[in-house]
Amino acid sequence: MSGTFVGMPAFPVAAREAVGDGTLRANLRHATHTIRAKRANAVAEVSDWAALREAGKQIKDHTLRRLDDYLVQLEEAVTAAGGVVHWAADADEANRIVTALVKETGESEVVKVKSMATQEIGLNEALEAEGIRAYETDLAELIVQLGKDRPSHILVPAIHRNRGEIRDIFAREMGEWGRAAPEGLTDTPAELAEAARLHLREKFLRAKVGISGANFMVAETGTLVVVESEGNGRMCLTLPETLISVVGIEKIVPTWRDLEVFLQTLPRSSTAERMNPYTSTWTGTSDGDGPRVFHLVLLDNGRTDTLADEVGRQALRCIRCSACLNVCPVYERAGGHAYGSVYPGPIGAILSPQLRGTASEIDASLPYASSLCGACYEVCPVAIDIPEVLVHLRERIAEGGEVTREGNKVVLRPAKGHAAERAAMRAARWAFARPGVLRAGQRLASRTRRLHPRSLPGPGRAWSATRDLPPVPAEPFRDWWQRTNGGKDGAK
Amino acid sequence: MSSRERILGRVRRALADVPRDDTPYERAVERAYLREHGGLGVEATVDLLAENLADYRAIVHRATEEELPAVIMRLLAEHGSPYVLVPPGLPPEWLSAGGPTRVDDRAESTPAELDGVASVVTGCAVAIAETGTIVLDGGPEQGRRRITLIPDHHICVVRVPDQVVASVPQALGRLDPARPLTWISGPSATSDIELDRVEGVHGPRTLEVVLVGGE
Ligand code: SF4
């Protein structure tokens, strides 16, 4: 299946390997803690954060509940503005459409701006198979591509590489693909950025076809929005003659005005900035400015199946800010690769199993890749209750039930005794063996205690069957202990 | 069945639980957030713009209408640019103090030709104080998107206070979505290498903003 890393070990196995890798863990820890602190400051700067978050949630929920209407409206608006709209039910169809569009131009190379949707469908590989070379132009993506690697973070895909490793990759590989790295390249970030600037500029200036995703699409006006930092997005969106954008159908917002919410919450949540360096918006084509031909490929690939799940559909609100990754204790230790998908971290744990189904061992184990501490929910700018969806998915894996796959209702059998269940059990043990993780889990359990069954769902049931599960106390013991100074304060 | 019909059909079946008379857009979103943060006066808003631009490492200058040509000439000279790229509707007086050779952007200018020009001077459509952002909309004083992208040095003139708004919501209200827009907040940057912010990957590495107005 596209986007699944073939032969990927299930989460607990991959996580254990990653946890054993000291460099990876140090890089990740430094990175996630740095962004985490910065984000908190950027959010604290706006007094109405809670209201913005709520509005963002409501806009997305409303859009999803009328998605058919908004898709049709968007199509009309894009077409009226000179764009051509294509519909792709799955990854293969999207890849076929894009490949054919590139071939029509007679070009054999394209420049790409980072897009999770195109990674999800494995577009680069599909183009490669047809003799078309796709150049990634985001610095981190370039590092990943030159290093023949997989991205490990939504926002900073090369977060697992330190500067020494990046220097070595540039010095070794750049010459293979175009302009070589300068002689005597050192590992200072400024020099590395300069090497990338020179290497890629040559490609931008001759590029005839650009490929992008989009952060938002406005149904009312047909406008697409790309939010970025480096300027490679602007290069890809404005210099080529043909622009092809592949965008998930959930990226719609109804009106131009709705952007006022997300253009405030996205930069602060993702890069912890008041505003990211560059945001581009375009509506179809414009005379004499930018591409003369614009294609929009609307991608389903499991999104409508996700939409069919009343609990799980909230995952489609995601604006890919990556804040939930940076606060996740499991992600921090396991790293992005352990999730076996282009969507790592907490959002990946609820999105991948819904987009792809839970047939594979890795996908079935993903909902267990969490301690349910709830930190992801707290920071999410569209208030996705990730723990709620995780518990829901665990239950369905363990107990079976109705799901929608490729538009059809199917009934999953309970996973008892199946490979998925065993994988899940291993994951659960992995979490339960870690006291810090368990502590956080208990806190969530008490926050949501009225929702709790007397036995844990899924593998938790097996775990709780051998123990008498006590009612969840209003305050976890550890919190009580800390609050009352070990009970010495005499507080209840 | 076309994929369009297939996808729309799947969406409709997926939403079987949603009543057709579900809350309409107008009432579905509670916009309890602020239109702007702080309600600053005109002068304070311009000061905030200057502060936030500088915080993201744009270089901010202030000038009166009369001083503007001299300021632009000085900035170009300091950058050592032999050529300056000019959008079609740039007020001629802005470059009236002499300086580098003007290169007019023409429809047939290729990216490779533009790559040889070090500096560009433009106006803007709107500037946002709270975020330190300038927005270009391709108007005659700003030109095509590529001319503010390829050169390494961008001088952007903002008329204060007319072109300044406090907030993102106010900016969107002033902008026309039909035009291609570029929102710029500081020079191009990346934090991809161990999260160190480095200025300048692909866009202009030096952004100078001249706030022009007053006596
Ligand atoms: S789930 Fe929320 S926090 Fe995580 S990436 Fe998506 S929007 Fe951001």
Side-chain angles (χ1 to χ4, degrees):
Chain A
M1 183 173 294
S2 296
T4 308
F5 303 165
V6 179
M8 192 72 213
F11 184 83
V13 181
R16 206 175 313 116
E17 281 165 9
V19 168
D21 180 341
T23 312
L24 172 66
R25 220 173 42 222
N27 290 357
L28 270 173
R29 193 183 148 74
H30 169 67
T32 55
H33 283 248
T34 308
I35 316 186
R36 204 188 287 185
K38 284 192 193 155
R39 179 205 152 270
N41 289 336
V43 166
E45 244 183 45
V46 279
S47 54
D48 56 341
W49 185 259
L52 284 166
R53 182 176 186 244
E54 184 60 25
K57 168 182 189 262
Q58 291 175 359
I59 291 168
K60 284 285 188 175
D61 272 347
H62 167 78
T63 313
L64 291 170
R65 292 168 75 86
R66 294 282 180 101
L67 191 58
D68 47 342
D69 294 342
Y70 285 122
L71 280 167
V72 171
Q73 192 189 5
L74 175 79
E75 180 187 41
E76 279 167 13
V78 170
T79 310
V84 184
V85 177
H86 310 259
W87 301 70
D90 56 25
D92 287 344
E93 187 173 12
N95 288 332
R96 274 202 307 279
I97 292 169
V98 177
T99 308
L101 290 172
V102 176
K103 282 191 168 169
E104 256 170 53
T105 67
E107 293 296 314
S108 59
E109 62 178 45
V110 301
V111 286
K112 274 190 71 199
V113 51
K114 185 173 95 166
S115 140
M116 308 213 53
T118 59
Q119 268 167 34
E120 174 191 324
I121 62 176
L123 179 63
N124 290 4
E125 293 76 12
L127 290 171
E128 195 82 63
E130 296 290 323
I132 298 160
R133 174 89 197 147
Y135 291 108
E136 292 292 353
T137 62
D138 190 87
L139 181 51
E141 295 288 337
L142 177 73
I143 295 166
V144 168
Q145 190 173 46
L146 291 174
K148 303 181 180 67
D149 208 350
R150 286 282 187 183
S152 62
H153 189 281
I154 293 178
L155 187 71
V156 251
I159 207 166
H160 60 292
R161 294 286 194 188
N162 64 32
R163 61 182 76 184
E165 294 176 279
I166 295 168
R167 193 213 78 91
D168 294 345
I169 292 170
F170 279 11
R172 195 176 60 232
E173 300 289 337
M174 273 185 172
E176 290 275 309
W177 303 111
R179 182 166 175 161
E183 281 296 318
L185 180 68
T186 74
D187 66 358
T188 58
E191 269 194 46
L192 295 172
E194 169 75 9
R197 179 185 174 97
L198 295 171
H199 178 78
L200 287 171
R201 176 139 311 203
E202 171 194 74
K203 298 193 167 32
F204 288 133
L205 295 181
R206 67 164 191 245
K208 294 282 182 282
V209 183
I211 296 183
S212 82
N215 295 90
F216 306 99
M217 307 187 281
V218 181
E220 163 191 59
T221 58
T223 308
L224 271 74
V225 183
V226 163
V227 170
E228 54 138 352
S229 295
E230 296 171 15
N232 60 311
R234 293 178 67 193
M235 293 274 180
C236 294
L237 299 171
T238 55
L239 296 187
E241 286 163 12
T242 301
L243 171 63
I244 305 169
S245 301
V246 181
V247 189
I249 54 173
E250 84 283 18
K251 295 280 169 195
I252 298 190
V253 296
T255 69
W256 177 246
R257 183 188 176 184
D258 292 327
L259 294 175
E260 70 189 20
V261 173
F262 301 108
L263 290 182
Q264 294 193 77
T265 53
L266 177 57
R268 289 179 198 267
S269 296
S270 63
T271 46
E273 292 168 301
R274 287 180 205 107
M275 190 62 89
N276 48 288
Y278 297 130
T279 296
S280 296
T281 76
W282 72 98
T283 304
T285 54
S286 312
D287 278 342
D289 185 356
R292 285 180 292 110
V293 181
F294 169 54
H295 294 280
L296 171 60
V297 182
L298 294 171
L299 177 71
D300 179 349
N301 204 37
R303 285 160 178 74
T304 51
D305 294 341
T306 308
L307 188 67
D309 185 321
E310 288 175 38
V311 178
R313 69 167 62 129
Q314 59 183 304
L316 298 175
R317 293 205 295 261
C318 176
I319 56 172
R320 311 276 189 268
C321 73
S322 72
C324 57
L325 278 63
N326 300 325
V327 296
C328 177
V330 177
Y331 174 80
E332 184 192 313
R333 287 167 185 80
H337 292 141
Y339 294 80
S341 146
V342 297
Y343 303 107
I347 181 62
I350 60 169
L351 199 55
S352 307
Q354 298 200 84
L355 292 178
R356 307 196 296 212
T358 50
S360 78
E361 200 178 339
I362 177 82
D363 286 328
S365 71
L366 280 178
Y368 298 88
S370 165
S371 64
L372 302 182
C373 77
C376 47
Y377 167 69
E378 303 288 336
V379 297
C380 179
V382 284
I384 299 174
D385 195 338
I386 295 177
E388 181 192 17
V389 181
L390 285 167
V391 169
H392 168 71
L393 294 176
R394 287 179 189 187
E395 205 151 31
R396 211 179 50 200
I397 288 166
E399 302 193 348
E402 202 175 67
V403 293
T404 308
R405 300 306 317 154
E406 295 175 17
N408 300 313
K409 290 222 156 68
V410 295
V411 177
L412 287 184
R413 280 187 308 172
K416 280 210 179 353
H418 285 204
E421 164 103 325
R422 288 195 299 276
M425 275 309 297
R426 284 202 300 277
R429 257 184 253 122
W430 185 79
F432 284 123
R434 279 152 186 80
V437 170
L438 188 58
R439 176 172 64 234
Q442 285 167 343
R443 193 163 299 133
L444 177 89
S446 88
R447 266 205 293 124
T448 59
R449 105 190 126 118
R450 74 192 162 74
L451 304 172
H452 274 265
R454 287 302 301 266
S455 67
L456 292 176
R461 188 208 318 286
W463 182 75
S464 57
T466 55
R467 293 156 180 81
D468 251 339
L469 194 65
V472 181
E475 186 180 31
F477 172 74
R478 284 165 205 264
D479 286 9
W480 171 83
W481 181 260
Q482 274 188 345
R483 181 172 62 80
T484 61
N485 190 18
K488 288 192 208 103
D489 291 351
K492 290 268 154 55
Chain B
M1 197 186 346
S2 72
S3 289
R4 180 183 189 277
E5 295 318 311
R6 179 171 298 124
I7 293 170
L8 288 173
R10 285 179 185 178
V11 170
R12 287 177 188 131
R13 284 199 301 282
L15 295 174
D17 63 299
V18 177
R20 276 282 100 178
D21 60 350
D22 199 40
T23 319
Y25 174 76
E26 293 68 33
R27 286 190 283 115
V29 184
E30 189 191 341
R31 296 183 194 268
Y33 52 89
L34 303 170
R35 300 307 297 164
E36 60 177 288
H37 300 84
L40 301 173
V42 170
E43 219 167 289
T45 304
V46 174
D47 288 346
L48 181 65
L49 171 67
E51 197 182 301
N52 283 334
L53 280 165
D55 193 34
Y56 283 155
R57 302 188 216 184
I59 305 167
V60 181
H61 310 273
R62 294 197 190 228
T64 62
E65 288 279 354
E66 284 94 279
E67 292 162 349
L68 182 62
V71 169
I72 292 176
M73 185 183 68
R74 176 170 58 82
L75 299 180
L76 289 168
E78 281 169 7
H79 201 78
S81 311
Y83 298 99
V84 57
L85 195 55
V86 179
L90 197 81
E93 61 277 13
W94 288 9
L95 291 176
S96 58
T101 313
R102 281 176 67 124
V103 179
D104 292 301
D105 180 42
R106 290 163 305 135
E108 50 300 349
S109 308
T110 65
E113 281 162 19
L114 298 179
D115 197 31
V117 186
S119 296
V120 59
V121 179
T122 72
C124 75
V126 107
I128 309 168
E130 286 180 7
T131 56
T133 305
I134 51 177
V135 186
L136 309 181
D137 72 355
E141 292 181 358
Q142 302 151 51
R144 300 190 290 169
R145 287 173 283 176
R146 58 179 55 180
I147 69 168
T148 52
L149 176 61
I150 300 177
D152 204 14
H153 179 217
H154 180 193
I155 299 173
C156 182
V157 176
V158 182
R159 293 190 178 83
V160 301
D162 293 1
Q163 292 186 313
V164 183
V165 296
S167 68
V168 171
Q170 291 169 347
L172 282 160
R174 279 211 196 180
L175 292 163
D176 177 0
R179 308 184 72 102
L181 303 180
T182 306
W183 300 46
I184 300 174
S185 310
S188 149
T190 182
S191 303
D192 279 350
I193 301 163
E194 294 185 5
L195 298 168
D196 272 352
R197 186 177 162 116
V198 180
E199 253 78 66
V201 194
H202 304 297
R205 284 182 284 194
T206 309
L207 172 65
E208 305 206 63
V209 179
V210 186
L211 307 178
V212 62
E215 314 305 279

